[in-house]
Amino acid sequence: MINYFRSHLGAKLFISYVAVIVVGVVVLALASTVSVPQAFRHHMGMTMGGGTGMMQGNGSIPVVISDLYQNFQASFNEALLLAALAAGIVAVVVSLLLSRSVVAPLRVLTSASRRISDGRYDERVRSSGSDELGQLAHSFNQMADKLEQVETMRRQLIGDVSHELRTPLTAIKGNMEGLLDGVIPAGPEVYQQVHQEADRLARLVDDLQELSRVEAKAYSFDVHPLAVSMLVQTTVKRLLPQAQAKHIRLHTDLSPDLPQVLADADRITQVLTNLTSNAVQYTPEGGDVTISAVRQGGEIHLSVTDRGIGIPTEHLPHIFTRFYRVDKSRSRQSGGGSGIGLTIAKYIVEAHGGRIWVESGGEGRGSTFAFSLPVAN
């Protein structure tokens, strides 16, 4: 019996109602024991002439009316007992009604949570009302949405990683089988191709490891005031050979008297290098790439603008999604990189308290990648 009450919320509600009624009856009985005799003497005294001769010397109720008092006391106790019984019946009815309204939604939540634990992340519960139970149901649905998104992202990540690993592995396996069968003659070109594919695998593994660290916020940042011009100059020096190879001109456009920013020099240089490298890669030979910086309130906005192939509008919201490609037919070898550089850049910028975005007028109209950093006070 005790275990039943411990394991059922409805039983606990019923016990709480009964406990309140019992406490009320006990308090009322004790109060009546003290107050009823005095009240009886007072009212009888007023009825029979101001109490003259109604009291005995010791102040107790006279013997002549003791029977009347006993009958009154019995009637009062009977009425109190009937009231307690009626209150008990009401407690049972109310506990049944309220327990259904409270326990039923909780049982639904319990069943839904068990189904979610079994992998059914599309499970939802009906949220009605604005009370605590309604808020709990709403929070449960939000949690289920997040879990479903995480599960979708996990499956997508596994599929994307499998695809990205399969491409270089297939090339390596094909070359090695050709060498073993004698179909492909051994030579520097074959070895160089195998080496390139193995290098692509190594870069992909490194990028995935870095992505896992930034997603888990396991990065350690050395944040201190930095000059924006220093970040831009470092990036230009790194990418100047790549730009010169395509006869692309790198320009800088920095607003005068820019304040310092709070940032990790290595990480923000990594972001700026990634954006500029992409701009150089997707800009036709002889084009221009501009790195700009301007103050906007308490932030510095850095942007990289190119006049390259541009990005269709429908792809803009997905640019920073891992492994996302605007051109599905473009290979990683021709497209460059593992496809998660922008995702890593997004996490790094957000870890600095900034935001990153992209703008493009469409195909053939170039694009602008920009991010913000807080000004150092």
Side-chain angles (χ1 to χ4, degrees), residues 331-352:
S331 67
R332 291 294 182 214
Q333 189 171 5
S334 62
S338 60
I340 58 178
L342 291 177
T343 306
I344 295 175
K346 176 178 179 290
Y347 278 102
I348 292 176
V349 170
E350 291 178 349
H352 281 77

Side-chain angles (χ1 to χ4, degrees), residues 25 29 47 54 63 79 101 111 123 141 148 151 160 163 182 204 208 224 227 242 294 309 313 344 347 365-366 368:
V25 170
T47 304
M54 290 299 297
V63 178
S101 63
S111 300
E123 188 70 28
N141 290 335
E148 187 175 17
E151 178 64 14
D160 291 338
H163 174 75
L204 177 59
L208 287 172
H224 57 275
Q242 179 183 348
V294 62
I309 60 176
T313 304
I344 295 175
Y347 278 102
R365 298 184 179 182
T368 298

Side-chain angles (χ1 to χ4, degrees), residues 202-229:
R203 289 199 306 269
L204 177 59
V205 171
D206 291 340
D207 288 343
L208 287 172
Q209 186 177 16
E210 186 173 11
L211 177 61
S212 67
R213 289 199 301 267
V214 297
E215 286 185 332
K217 299 181 180 179
Y219 257 119
S220 59
F221 293 97
D222 182 17
V223 178
H224 57 275
L226 297 172
V228 177
S229 58

Side-chain angles (χ1 to χ4, degrees), residues 13-275:
L13 290 175
F14 172 71
I15 289 296
S16 65
Y17 299 145
V18 172
V20 171
I21 293 173
V22 170
V23 170
V25 170
V26 171
V27 171
L28 183 58
L30 293 176
S32 65
T33 302
V34 176
S35 62
V36 166
Q38 184 177 359
F40 181 79
R41 288 194 301 268
H42 175 71
H43 289 288
M44 288 300 297
M46 292 180 62
T47 304
M48 302 181 67
T52 304
M54 290 299 297
M55 303 295 296
Q56 293 180 350
N58 58 2
S60 61
I61 300 175
V63 178
V64 294
I65 59 171
S66 61
D67 292 339
L68 178 62
Y69 173 74
Q70 291 176 359
N71 292 331
F72 170 76
Q73 185 69 44
S75 300
F76 179 84
N77 292 336
E78 183 179 352
L80 183 61
L81 178 61
L82 292 175
L85 292 176
I89 295 174
V90 172
V92 172
V93 175
V94 171
S95 64
L96 290 175
L97 295 178
L98 291 181
S99 62
R100 287 183 179 179
S101 63
V102 174
V103 174
L106 294 179
R107 288 177 177 172
V108 173
L109 286 171
T110 302
S111 300
S113 63
R114 289 175 179 172
R115 287 190 287 270
I116 287 181
S117 66
D118 293 334
R120 297 172 57 181
Y121 297 103
D122 58 342
E123 188 70 28
R124 299 294 184 273
V125 296
R126 186 174 62 182
S127 176
S128 59
S130 58
D131 57 1
E132 286 78 2
L133 288 175
Q135 295 174 6
L136 177 61
H138 180 69
S139 299
F140 179 89
N141 290 335
Q142 286 183 328
M143 179 198 69
D145 289 336
K146 293 294 184 181
L147 288 175
E148 187 175 17
Q149 293 175 8
V150 170
E151 178 64 14
T152 301
M153 293 175 63
R154 185 188 68 83
R155 293 178 180 177
Q156 182 179 358
L157 177 61
I158 292 175
D160 291 338
V161 171
S162 301
H163 174 75
E164 297 302 322
L165 292 175
R166 186 181 296 110
T167 302
L169 286 175
T170 300
I172 293 174
K173 182 179 179 181
N175 283 304
M176 296 306 298
E177 289 177 350
L179 289 173
L180 292 174
D181 295 339
V183 178
I184 300 177
E189 293 183 359
V190 178
Y191 297 142
Q192 181 65 26
Q193 184 176 1
V194 173
H195 181 271
Q196 289 178 351
E197 297 298 335
D199 189 52
R200 286 178 59 195
L201 278 175
R203 289 199 306 269
L204 177 59
V205 171
D206 291 340
D207 288 343
L208 287 172
Q209 186 177 16
E210 186 173 11
L211 177 61
S212 67
R213 289 199 301 267
V214 297
E215 286 185 332
K217 299 181 180 179
Y219 257 119
S220 59
F221 293 97
D222 182 17
V223 178
H224 57 275
L226 297 172
V228 177
S229 58
M230 182 270 292
L231 298 172
V232 174
Q233 290 172 4
T234 302
T235 302
V236 171
K237 289 180 181 179
R238 286 185 180 181
L239 296 177
L240 189 58
Q242 179 183 348
Q244 289 177 342
K246 292 185 63 176
H247 307 287
I248 292 176
R249 295 173 293 275
L250 287 177
H251 305 281
T252 59
D253 182 15
L254 308 181
S255 298
D257 302 327
L258 280 175
Q260 293 182 320
V261 294
L262 281 175
D264 183 309
D266 293 336
R267 298 305 179 192
I268 294 303
T269 301
Q270 176 184 353
V271 173
L272 200 55
T273 300
N274 181 277
L275 300 181

Side-chain angles (χ1 to χ4, degrees), residues 239 242-243 246 248-252 272-292 302-312 316 319 342 357-370:
L239 296 177
Q242 179 183 348
K246 292 185 63 176
I248 292 176
R249 295 173 293 275
L250 287 177
H251 305 281
T252 59
L272 200 55
T273 300
N274 181 277
L275 300 181
T276 307
S277 177
N278 289 343
V280 171
Q281 178 182 349
Y282 294 113
T283 297
E285 292 191 9
D288 298 276
V289 173
T290 303
I291 303 176
S292 306
L302 291 95
S303 59
V304 179
T305 303
D306 64 70
R307 296 292 181 266
I309 60 176
I311 304 172
L316 292 178
I319 287 299
L342 291 177
W357 65 94
V358 59
E359 300 174 353
S360 178
E363 292 188 57
R365 298 184 179 182
S367 58
T368 298
F369 284 82

